[in-house]
Amino acid sequence: MKRTCLRISLSLAVFTASLIPVPLLAQEARSPVAPRRDVVEAVVREAYEKFKNDTSGKNADYIPYLAQVNSKLFGVALVTTDDQVLTVGDVNYSFSIQSISKVFTLALAMEELGPDNVFHRIGSEPTGRPFNSVPAVVDIPTHTGNPLVNAGAIATTSLISGKDEDERWNKILAFYGKVVGDKLSLIEDVYKSEAATNAGNKALAMLLAKYDRIYADPFESVDIYTKQCSVGVNALQLARMGATLANNGVNPTTGQQVIKREDVPYILSTMTMAGLYDGSGGWAWHVGLPAKSGVGGGIVAIAPGKGAIAVFAPPLDEAGNSVKAQEVIEYVARKLNYNLFSPSSVGLK
Ligand code: GLN
C-alpha cells in the first residue's frame, strides 16, 4: 500500500518536473498547503497583463529621489513556503524597501526583548491616520500607536541594542539579509535624499521623547530608521522575505529559522491591522491578508502556510500604497482563495 502511494507520487513528480522545481514528495513533506506552480502561474500572468497599463496614482515626491523613479516599472514575484518561485516583469530592479522594513525591525525587536515588552513599549492599535501623522502621536494613548506607523517604527528601531549607532544599524541590516537569504545594502542616494528632508520624522521622535516613548537618542534613532527605509530590495527578494513569514519564520530557500515561530502571529496580526496605514481597513475587507506597503512602491502580502506575493510599481494612492500592487494582490488572492477570513481558504465547502 505504502509502496503504491510512493510510486504514484514519484511518477507524478516526474510528470510535473518541468513545472515544479522542487520534487512533489519534498513539497508534501514541507508544506501540505503550498499552492502548485501550474495553478498560480496563469493567475499571476493574468493579473500582470490586466493591470500593467493602469497609470493611476503618483510616485511619492516628499522624498525627492522617489519622484524620479520610472513610474512604469512593474514587477510581480511569488514565492511559496516550499520555495517555488514565480516572477513576471521588472523583478530585478532594486527599489527602496521603505516602510516594509518596519515589519522586520519589529521581528528583530521581539527577538531581543520578547513580544510582551515590545507590545508594552510600542502598542498595536491601528491609528486610522496617515503614516506620518503628528496629531496621532498627541491623541493616541500610547503615543507610539503601533510598530508600522512612522512614530511607532522609529520607537521600535530605538529598542534595538548595540554599543553605538553603527552596531545597531549593522545588526538590523544583517537581520534583513537573513530574512531574505541574500546580502542587502543601502541605496546611498535614497538615504541622502531622505536624510535631507526628514524634518517630520525628527519632529515625531522629539514628540515621543516628550512622552517618554522613545528608548534611545531620538535623532540617532531617526537616522537608523532612515537607513533601514533606504535598504534596496527587488520584488523577488521582497517575496522571499514575505515567504519567510508565511513559513513560520523559516526562510524557504536557506531552511534557516530566522524569525521565532512564536513571534510570527504577532507580526502578521499587526500587518493585518496597520500594514496599509489608513487603507488597512479597506484592504482587510477586500483582500483579507496581512500585508505591508512602502512609499517606494512595494507591497508584500502573506498567505500563511502558503507563500507570499510581492509587487513593485511606484505610483501610489492617497494613503501611500502602490496602486498596481494592491490591484494585482487583490486579484491573485481572490482567484487563489487566499482570504484568511474565509473558511473556504482552508478547504471548508
Ligand atoms: N521612509 C519613509 C518615511 O519615513 C517611509 C514611509 C512609508 O514607506 N510609508 O516617511
Side-chain angles (χ1 to χ4, degrees):
M1 174 67 186
K2 227 175 164 185
R3 272 173 73 182
T4 325
C5 286
L6 189 69
R7 211 171 305 131
I8 291 169
S9 302
L10 277 175
S11 53
L12 245 179
V14 171
F15 174 68
T16 52
S18 57
L19 300 169
I20 304 172
V22 179
L24 203 58
L25 281 177
Q27 280 185 47
E28 280 167 0
R30 290 163 69 182
S31 170
V33 289
R36 296 232 334 232
R37 185 185 171 90
D38 51 344
V39 177
V40 278
E41 183 149 32
V43 176
V44 170
R45 285 195 187 283
E46 250 166 58
Y48 181 85
E49 291 303 322
K50 190 170 162 66
F51 300 111
K52 75 171 184 226
N53 296 322
D54 184 345
T55 54
S56 46
K58 203 168 145 297
N59 283 30
D61 56 9
Y62 73 98
I63 299 170
Y65 179 100
L66 297 180
Q68 293 157 25
V69 174
N70 179 354
S71 308
K72 294 207 172 99
L73 287 164
F74 183 29
V76 182
L78 192 143
V79 176
T80 65
T81 46
D82 50 16
D83 205 26
Q84 300 171 73
V85 174
L86 221 147
T87 57
V88 196
D90 303 310
V91 292
N92 295 317
Y93 180 88
S94 196
F95 56 95
S96 54
I97 189 169
Q98 295 295 342
S99 276
I100 305 166
S101 67
K102 295 166 178 172
V103 171
F104 302 99
T105 300
L106 167 64
L108 180 59
M110 283 198 284
E111 179 92 27
E112 293 202 331
L113 284 89
D116 288 352
N117 276 319
V118 175
F119 179 79
H120 291 305
R121 290 182 198 192
I122 309 294
S124 73
E125 294 305 323
T127 68
R129 310 280 179 88
F131 59 82
N132 50 7
S133 171
V134 174
V137 177
V138 177
D139 294 345
I140 288 177
T142 62
H143 306 294
T144 35
N146 66 65
L148 303 182
V149 291
N150 286 14
I154 295 165
T156 305
T157 299
S158 80
L159 291 173
I160 306 303
S161 66
K163 70 172 180 339
D164 56 23
E165 177 171 346
D166 269 359
E167 188 174 300
R168 292 163 63 214
W169 155 239
N170 286 320
K171 188 194 274 185
I172 290 171
L173 184 63
F175 182 74
Y176 294 0
K178 280 201 301 181
V179 178
V180 185
D182 208 348
K183 193 177 159 6
L184 296 177
S185 49
L186 193 72
I187 306 178
E188 278 293 336
D189 288 346
V190 175
Y191 169 65
K192 282 192 200 132
S193 179
E194 186 163 346
T197 52
N198 65 355
N201 285 336
K202 289 179 183 147
L204 292 177
M206 287 311 284
L207 205 47
L208 290 175
K210 165 180 141 84
Y211 295 116
D212 259 340
R213 293 290 284 178
I214 190 157
Y215 311 102
D217 179 80
F219 289 162
E220 188 181 298
S221 303
V222 170
D223 191 49
I224 298 175
Y225 163 85
T226 307
K227 285 182 177 143
Q228 75 176 47
C229 289
S230 308
V231 167
V233 286
N234 61 38
L236 177 56
Q237 289 170 323
L238 191 56
R240 287 193 193 285
M241 295 179 96
T244 300
L245 285 169
N247 197 33
N248 243 347
V250 176
N251 180 301
T253 315
T254 64
Q256 218 191 335
Q257 180 91 49
V258 290
I259 297 172
K260 281 195 182 143
R261 61 190 304 137
E262 55 270 34
D263 291 347
V264 171
Y266 300 116
I267 299 168
L268 296 184
S269 60
T270 308
M271 289 169 78
T272 305
M273 291 182 295
L276 270 72
Y277 311 114
D278 37 334
S280 301
W283 178 259
W285 178 286
H286 291 292
V287 186
L289 286 180
K292 186 72 203 83
S293 62
V295 289
I299 300 186
V300 60
I302 320 298
K306 296 173 181 164
I309 177 165
V311 183
F312 166 61
L316 311 178
D317 67 10
E318 291 290 307
N321 300 316
S322 166
V323 174
K324 283 211 280 278
Q326 291 178 81
E327 289 170 336
V328 167
I329 297 169
E330 179 172 356
Y331 184 89
V332 171
R334 190 159 291 174
K335 288 265 174 166
L336 295 177
N337 199 9
Y338 277 174
N339 189 324
L340 271 193
F341 302 107
S342 163
S344 69
S345 72
V346 286
L348 200 64
K349 300 266 186 266

Coordinates of all heavy atoms in Angstrom, one line a residue, residues 138-212:
V138 N 0.0 62.8 19.5 CA -0.5 63.5 20.6 C -1.8 62.8 21.1 O -2.0 62.6 22.3 CB -0.9 65.0 20.2 CG1 -1.5 65.7 21.3 CG2 0.4 65.7 19.7
D139 N -2.7 62.4 20.2 CA -4.0 61.9 20.6 C -4.0 60.5 21.1 O -4.9 60.2 22.0 CB -4.9 62.0 19.4 CG -5.2 63.4 18.9 OD1 -4.9 64.3 19.6 OD2 -5.7 63.5 17.7
I140 N -3.2 59.7 20.5 CA -3.4 58.2 20.8 C -2.7 57.9 22.2 O -1.6 58.4 22.5 CB -2.8 57.4 19.6 CG1 -3.7 57.5 18.5 CG2 -2.5 56.0 20.0 CD1 -3.3 56.9 17.2
P141 N -3.5 57.2 23.0 CA -3.0 57.0 24.4 C -1.6 56.4 24.5 O -0.8 56.8 25.4 CB -4.0 56.0 25.0 CG -5.2 56.1 24.2 CD -4.8 56.6 22.8
T142 N -1.2 55.5 23.6 CA 0.2 55.0 23.7 C 1.2 55.9 23.0 O 2.4 55.7 23.1 CB 0.3 53.6 22.9 OG1 0.0 53.9 21.6 CG2 -0.6 52.6 23.5
H143 N 0.8 56.9 22.3 CA 1.6 57.9 21.5 C 2.3 57.2 20.4 O 2.4 57.8 19.3 CB 2.6 58.7 22.4 CG 1.9 59.3 23.6 ND1 1.0 60.3 23.4 CD2 1.9 59.1 24.9 CE1 0.5 60.7 24.6 NE2 1.0 59.9 25.5
T144 N 2.9 56.0 20.6 CA 3.6 55.3 19.6 C 2.7 54.7 18.6 O 3.0 54.5 17.4 CB 4.5 54.2 20.2 OG1 3.8 53.7 21.3 CG2 5.8 54.8 20.6
G145 N 1.5 54.4 19.0 CA 0.5 53.7 18.1 C 0.7 52.3 17.9 O 0.3 51.4 18.6
N146 N 1.5 52.0 16.8 CA 1.8 50.6 16.5 C 3.2 50.6 15.8 O 3.6 51.7 15.3 CB 0.7 49.9 15.7 CG 0.5 50.6 14.3 OD1 1.4 50.5 13.5 ND2 -0.6 51.2 14.1
P147 N 3.8 49.5 15.6 CA 5.2 49.5 15.0 C 5.2 49.8 13.5 O 6.3 49.9 13.0 CB 5.6 48.0 15.2 CG 4.6 47.4 16.2 CD 3.4 48.1 16.1
L148 N 4.1 50.0 12.9 CA 4.1 50.2 11.4 C 3.8 51.6 11.0 O 3.8 51.9 9.8 CB 3.2 49.1 10.8 CG 3.5 47.7 11.1 CD1 2.5 46.7 10.4 CD2 4.9 47.3 10.8
V149 N 3.4 52.5 11.9 CA 3.4 53.9 11.6 C 4.7 54.5 11.9 O 5.5 53.9 12.7 CB 2.2 54.7 12.3 CG1 0.9 54.2 11.8 CG2 2.3 54.5 13.8
N150 N 5.0 55.6 11.3 CA 6.4 56.2 11.5 C 6.8 56.3 13.0 O 7.9 55.9 13.4 CB 6.6 57.5 10.8 CG 6.7 57.3 9.3 OD1 6.3 56.3 8.7 ND2 7.1 58.4 8.6
A151 N 5.9 56.9 13.8 CA 6.3 57.1 15.2 C 6.6 55.8 15.9 O 7.7 55.7 16.5 CB 5.2 57.9 15.9
G152 N 5.7 54.8 15.7 CA 5.9 53.5 16.4 C 7.1 52.8 15.8 O 7.8 52.1 16.5
A153 N 7.4 53.0 14.5 CA 8.5 52.3 13.9 C 9.8 52.9 14.4 O 10.8 52.2 14.6 CB 8.4 52.4 12.4
I154 N 9.9 54.3 14.5 CA 11.1 54.9 15.0 C 11.4 54.4 16.4 O 12.5 54.1 16.8 CB 11.0 56.4 14.9 CG1 10.9 56.9 13.4 CG2 12.2 57.1 15.5 CD1 10.5 58.3 13.1
A155 N 10.3 54.4 17.2 CA 10.5 53.9 18.6 C 10.9 52.4 18.6 O 11.7 52.0 19.5 CB 9.2 54.0 19.4
T156 N 10.4 51.6 17.7 CA 10.8 50.2 17.6 C 12.3 50.1 17.2 O 13.0 49.3 17.8 CB 9.9 49.4 16.6 OG1 8.6 49.6 16.9 CG2 10.3 47.9 16.5
T157 N 12.7 50.9 16.3 CA 14.1 50.9 15.9 C 15.0 51.3 17.2 O 16.0 50.8 17.4 CB 14.4 51.9 14.8 OG1 13.6 51.5 13.7 CG2 15.8 52.0 14.4
S158 N 14.4 52.2 18.0 CA 15.2 52.7 19.2 C 15.4 51.6 20.2 O 16.2 51.7 21.1 CB 14.5 53.9 19.8 OG 13.4 53.5 20.6
L159 N 14.6 50.5 20.1 CA 14.7 49.3 21.0 C 15.9 48.4 20.7 O 16.3 47.7 21.6 CB 13.4 48.5 21.0 CG 12.1 49.1 21.5 CD1 10.9 48.2 21.2 CD2 12.2 49.3 23.0
I160 N 16.4 48.5 19.5 CA 17.4 47.6 19.1 C 18.7 47.9 19.8 O 19.2 49.0 19.8 CB 17.7 47.6 17.5 CG1 16.3 47.3 16.8 CG2 18.7 46.6 17.1 CD1 15.6 46.1 17.1
S161 N 19.3 46.9 20.4 CA 20.5 47.2 21.3 C 21.8 47.2 20.4 O 21.8 46.7 19.3 CB 20.7 46.1 22.3 OG 20.9 44.8 21.7
G162 N 22.8 47.8 21.0 CA 24.1 47.9 20.3 C 25.0 48.9 21.0 O 24.4 49.8 21.7
K163 N 26.3 48.8 20.9 CA 27.2 49.7 21.7 C 27.2 51.1 21.1 O 27.4 52.1 21.8 CB 28.6 49.2 21.8 CG 29.4 49.1 20.6 CD 30.9 48.7 21.0 CE 31.9 48.6 19.9 NZ 31.5 48.4 18.5
D164 N 26.9 51.2 19.8 CA 26.8 52.5 19.1 C 25.9 52.4 17.9 O 25.3 51.4 17.6 CB 28.2 53.1 18.7 CG 28.9 52.1 17.8 OD1 28.3 51.3 17.2 OD2 30.2 52.2 17.8
E165 N 25.7 53.6 17.2 CA 24.8 53.6 16.1 C 25.1 52.6 15.0 O 24.3 51.9 14.5 CB 24.7 55.1 15.5 CG 23.8 55.1 14.3 CD 23.5 56.5 13.8 OE1 23.8 57.5 14.5 OE2 23.0 56.6 12.7
D166 N 26.4 52.5 14.7 CA 26.9 51.6 13.7 C 26.5 50.2 14.0 O 26.1 49.4 13.1 CB 28.4 51.7 13.5 CG 28.7 52.8 12.4 OD1 27.8 53.4 11.9 OD2 30.0 53.0 12.2
E167 N 26.8 49.8 15.2 CA 26.5 48.4 15.6 C 25.0 48.1 15.5 O 24.6 47.0 15.0 CB 27.0 48.1 17.0 CG 26.9 46.6 17.3 CD 27.6 46.3 18.7 OE1 28.8 46.6 18.9 OE2 26.8 45.8 19.6
R168 N 24.2 49.0 15.9 CA 22.7 48.8 15.8 C 22.3 48.7 14.4 O 21.5 47.9 14.0 CB 22.0 49.9 16.6 CG 22.3 49.8 18.1 CD 22.0 51.1 18.9 NE 20.6 51.4 18.8 CZ 20.1 52.6 18.8 NH1 20.9 53.7 18.8 NH2 18.8 52.9 18.7
W169 N 22.8 49.6 13.6 CA 22.4 49.7 12.1 C 22.8 48.4 11.4 O 22.1 47.7 10.7 CB 22.9 50.9 11.5 CG 23.1 50.8 10.0 CD1 24.3 51.0 9.3 CD2 22.1 50.5 9.0 NE1 24.0 50.7 7.9 CE2 22.7 50.4 7.8 CE3 20.7 50.2 9.1 CZ2 22.0 50.1 6.6 CZ3 20.0 49.9 7.9 CH2 20.7 49.9 6.7
N170 N 24.1 48.0 11.7 CA 24.6 46.8 11.0 C 23.8 45.5 11.5 O 23.6 44.6 10.7 CB 26.1 46.6 11.3 CG 26.9 47.6 10.4 OD1 26.5 47.8 9.3 ND2 27.9 48.2 11.0
K171 N 23.4 45.5 12.7 CA 22.6 44.4 13.2 C 21.3 44.3 12.4 O 20.8 43.2 12.0 CB 22.4 44.6 14.7 CG 21.7 43.4 15.4 CD 21.2 43.7 16.7 CE 22.3 43.6 17.8 NZ 21.7 43.8 19.2
I172 N 20.6 45.4 12.3 CA 19.4 45.5 11.5 C 19.6 45.0 10.1 O 18.8 44.1 9.6 CB 18.8 46.9 11.6 CG1 18.3 47.2 13.0 CG2 17.6 47.1 10.6 CD1 17.9 48.7 13.2
L173 N 20.6 45.6 9.4 CA 20.8 45.2 8.0 C 21.1 43.7 7.9 O 20.6 43.0 7.0 CB 22.0 46.0 7.5 CG 22.3 45.9 6.0 CD1 21.1 46.3 5.1 CD2 23.6 46.7 5.6
A174 N 21.9 43.2 8.8 CA 22.3 41.7 8.7 C 21.0 40.9 9.0 O 20.9 39.8 8.3 CB 23.4 41.4 9.8
F175 N 20.2 41.3 9.8 CA 18.9 40.6 10.1 C 18.1 40.5 8.9 O 17.6 39.5 8.5 CB 18.2 41.2 11.3 CG 17.0 40.5 11.7 CD1 17.0 39.2 12.3 CD2 15.7 41.0 11.4 CE1 15.9 38.5 12.7 CE2 14.5 40.3 11.7 CZ 14.6 39.1 12.4
Y176 N 17.9 41.7 8.2 CA 17.1 41.7 7.0 C 17.7 40.7 6.0 O 17.0 40.0 5.3 CB 17.1 43.1 6.3 CG 16.4 44.2 7.1 CD1 15.8 44.0 8.3 CD2 16.3 45.5 6.5 CE1 15.1 45.0 8.9 CE2 15.7 46.5 7.1 CZ 15.1 46.3 8.4 OH 14.5 47.3 9.0
G177 N 19.0 40.7 5.9 CA 19.7 39.8 4.9 C 19.4 38.3 5.2 O 19.1 37.6 4.3
K178 N 19.3 38.0 6.5 CA 19.0 36.6 6.9 C 17.5 36.3 6.5 O 17.2 35.2 6.1 CB 19.2 36.4 8.4 CG 20.6 36.2 8.7 CD 20.8 35.4 10.1 CE 20.1 36.2 11.2 NZ 20.2 35.6 12.5
V179 N 16.7 37.3 6.6 CA 15.2 37.0 6.3 C 15.1 36.8 4.8 O 14.4 35.9 4.4 CB 14.3 38.2 6.7 CG1 12.9 37.9 6.3 CG2 14.4 38.4 8.2
V180 N 15.9 37.5 4.0 CA 15.8 37.3 2.5 C 16.6 36.0 2.1 O 16.2 35.3 1.2 CB 16.5 38.5 1.7 CG1 16.3 38.3 0.2 CG2 16.0 39.8 2.2
G181 N 17.7 35.8 2.8 CA 18.6 34.7 2.4 C 19.6 35.3 1.4 O 20.1 34.6 0.5
D182 N 19.9 36.6 1.5 CA 20.8 37.2 0.5 C 21.4 38.5 1.2 O 20.9 38.9 2.2 CB 19.9 37.7 -0.6 CG 20.6 37.8 -2.0 OD1 21.8 37.7 -2.0 OD2 19.9 38.0 -3.0
K183 N 22.5 39.0 0.6 CA 23.1 40.2 1.2 C 22.3 41.4 0.7 O 22.1 41.5 -0.5 CB 24.6 40.2 0.8 CG 25.4 41.2 1.7 CD 26.8 41.2 1.3 CE 27.7 42.4 1.6 NZ 27.1 43.4 2.4
L184 N 22.0 42.3 1.6 CA 21.3 43.5 1.2 C 22.2 44.7 1.5 O 23.1 44.6 2.3 CB 20.0 43.7 1.9 CG 18.9 42.6 1.7 CD1 17.7 42.9 2.5 CD2 18.5 42.6 0.2
S185 N 21.9 45.8 0.8 CA 22.7 47.0 1.1 C 21.9 48.3 1.0 O 20.8 48.3 0.4 CB 24.0 47.1 0.3 OG 23.7 46.9 -1.0
L186 N 22.4 49.4 1.5 CA 21.8 50.7 1.5 C 21.8 51.2 0.0 O 22.8 51.1 -0.6 CB 22.6 51.6 2.4 CG 22.1 52.9 2.8 CD1 21.0 52.7 3.8 CD2 23.2 53.7 3.5
I187 N 20.7 51.9 -0.4 CA 20.8 52.7 -1.7 C 21.2 54.1 -1.2 O 20.4 54.8 -0.6 CB 19.5 52.7 -2.4 CG1 19.0 51.3 -2.7 CG2 19.7 53.5 -3.8 CD1 17.6 51.2 -3.5
E188 N 22.5 54.4 -1.3 CA 23.0 55.7 -0.8 C 22.2 56.9 -1.2 O 22.0 57.8 -0.4 CB 24.5 55.8 -1.2 CG 25.5 55.1 -0.4 CD 25.7 55.6 1.0 OE1 25.3 56.8 1.3 OE2 26.1 54.8 1.9
D189 N 21.8 56.9 -2.5 CA 21.2 58.2 -2.9 C 19.8 58.3 -2.3 O 19.3 59.4 -2.1 CB 21.0 58.1 -4.5 CG 22.4 58.3 -5.1 OD1 23.3 58.8 -4.4 OD2 22.5 58.1 -6.4
V190 N 19.1 57.2 -2.0 CA 17.8 57.3 -1.3 C 18.1 57.8 0.1 O 17.4 58.7 0.6 CB 17.1 55.9 -1.3 CG1 15.8 56.0 -0.5 CG2 16.8 55.4 -2.7
Y191 N 19.1 57.2 0.7 CA 19.4 57.6 2.1 C 19.7 59.1 2.2 O 19.1 59.9 3.0 CB 20.5 56.8 2.7 CG 21.1 57.4 4.0 CD1 20.2 57.4 5.1 CD2 22.3 57.9 4.1 CE1 20.7 57.9 6.3 CE2 22.8 58.4 5.3 CZ 22.0 58.5 6.4 OH 22.4 59.0 7.6
K192 N 20.5 59.6 1.3 CA 20.9 61.0 1.3 C 19.7 61.9 1.0 O 19.4 62.9 1.7 CB 21.9 61.3 0.2 CG 23.3 60.9 0.6 CD 24.3 61.5 -0.4 CE 25.6 60.7 -0.4 NZ 26.1 60.3 -1.7
S193 N 18.8 61.5 0.1 CA 17.7 62.3 -0.3 C 16.7 62.3 0.9 O 16.1 63.4 1.2 CB 17.0 61.6 -1.5 OG 15.8 62.3 -1.9
E194 N 16.5 61.2 1.6 CA 15.5 61.2 2.7 C 16.1 61.9 3.9 O 15.4 62.6 4.6 CB 15.2 59.7 3.0 CG 14.1 59.6 4.0 CD 13.3 58.3 4.1 OE1 13.5 57.5 3.1 OE2 12.6 58.1 5.1
A195 N 17.4 61.7 4.2 CA 18.0 62.3 5.4 C 18.0 63.8 5.3 O 17.9 64.5 6.3 CB 19.5 61.8 5.5
A196 N 18.0 64.3 4.0 CA 18.0 65.8 3.9 C 16.6 66.4 4.0 O 16.4 67.6 4.1 CB 18.6 66.1 2.5
T197 N 15.6 65.5 4.0 CA 14.2 66.0 4.0 C 13.3 65.4 5.1 O 12.1 65.4 5.0 CB 13.6 65.7 2.6 OG1 13.7 64.3 2.4 CG2 14.2 66.5 1.5
N198 N 13.9 64.9 6.2 CA 13.1 64.1 7.1 C 12.8 64.9 8.4 O 12.8 64.3 9.5 CB 13.7 62.7 7.4 CG 15.0 62.8 8.1 OD1 15.6 63.9 8.3 ND2 15.6 61.7 8.5
A199 N 12.6 66.2 8.3 CA 12.3 67.0 9.5 C 11.1 66.5 10.2 O 11.0 66.5 11.4 CB 12.1 68.5 9.1
G200 N 10.1 66.0 9.4 CA 8.9 65.5 10.0 C 9.1 64.3 10.9 O 8.6 64.2 12.0
N201 N 10.0 63.4 10.5 CA 10.3 62.2 11.4 C 11.1 62.6 12.6 O 10.9 62.1 13.7 CB 11.1 61.2 10.6 CG 10.2 60.4 9.6 OD1 8.9 60.3 9.8 ND2 10.7 59.9 8.5
K202 N 11.9 63.7 12.4 CA 12.6 64.2 13.6 C 11.7 64.8 14.6 O 11.8 64.6 15.8 CB 13.7 65.2 13.2 CG 14.9 64.6 12.5 CD 15.9 65.6 12.1 CE 17.0 65.0 11.3 NZ 17.5 65.9 10.2
A203 N 10.7 65.4 14.1 CA 9.6 66.0 15.0 C 8.9 64.9 15.7 O 8.6 65.1 16.9 CB 8.7 66.9 14.1
L204 N 8.5 63.9 15.0 CA 7.8 62.7 15.6 C 8.7 62.2 16.8 O 8.2 61.9 17.9 CB 7.6 61.6 14.6 CG 6.5 61.9 13.5 CD1 6.4 60.7 12.6 CD2 5.2 62.2 14.1
A205 N 10.0 62.0 16.5 CA 10.9 61.4 17.5 C 11.0 62.3 18.7 O 11.0 61.9 19.9 CB 12.3 61.2 16.9
M206 N 11.1 63.6 18.5 CA 11.2 64.6 19.7 C 9.9 64.6 20.5 O 9.9 64.6 21.7 CB 11.5 66.0 19.2 CG 12.9 66.2 18.7 SD 14.1 65.5 19.9 CE 14.1 66.8 21.2
L207 N 8.8 64.4 19.8 CA 7.5 64.4 20.5 C 7.4 63.1 21.3 O 6.9 63.1 22.5 CB 6.4 64.4 19.4 CG 5.0 64.9 19.8 CD1 5.0 66.2 20.6 CD2 4.1 65.1 18.5
L208 N 7.9 62.0 20.8 CA 7.9 60.7 21.5 C 8.8 60.9 22.8 O 8.5 60.4 23.8 CB 8.4 59.6 20.7 CG 7.5 59.1 19.5 CD1 8.2 58.0 18.7 CD2 6.2 58.5 20.1
A209 N 9.9 61.6 22.6 CA 10.8 61.9 23.8 C 10.0 62.6 24.9 O 10.2 62.3 26.1 CB 12.0 62.6 23.3
K210 N 9.2 63.6 24.5 CA 8.4 64.3 25.5 C 7.5 63.3 26.3 O 7.3 63.5 27.4 CB 7.6 65.3 24.7 CG 6.5 66.0 25.5 CD 5.7 67.0 24.7 CE 4.2 67.0 24.8 NZ 3.7 67.8 26.0
Y211 N 7.0 62.3 25.6 CA 6.1 61.4 26.3 C 6.8 60.2 26.8 O 6.2 59.2 27.2 CB 5.0 60.9 25.3 CG 4.1 61.9 24.8 CD1 4.0 62.3 23.4 CD2 3.2 62.6 25.7 CE1 3.2 63.3 23.0 CE2 2.3 63.5 25.2 CZ 2.3 63.9 23.9 OH 1.4 64.8 23.5
D212 N 8.2 60.2 26.8 CA 9.0 59.0 27.2 C 8.7 57.8 26.5 O 8.6 56.7 27.1 CB 8.7 58.8 28.7 CG 9.8 59.3 29.6 OD1 10.9 59.5 29.0 OD2 9.5 59.6 30.8

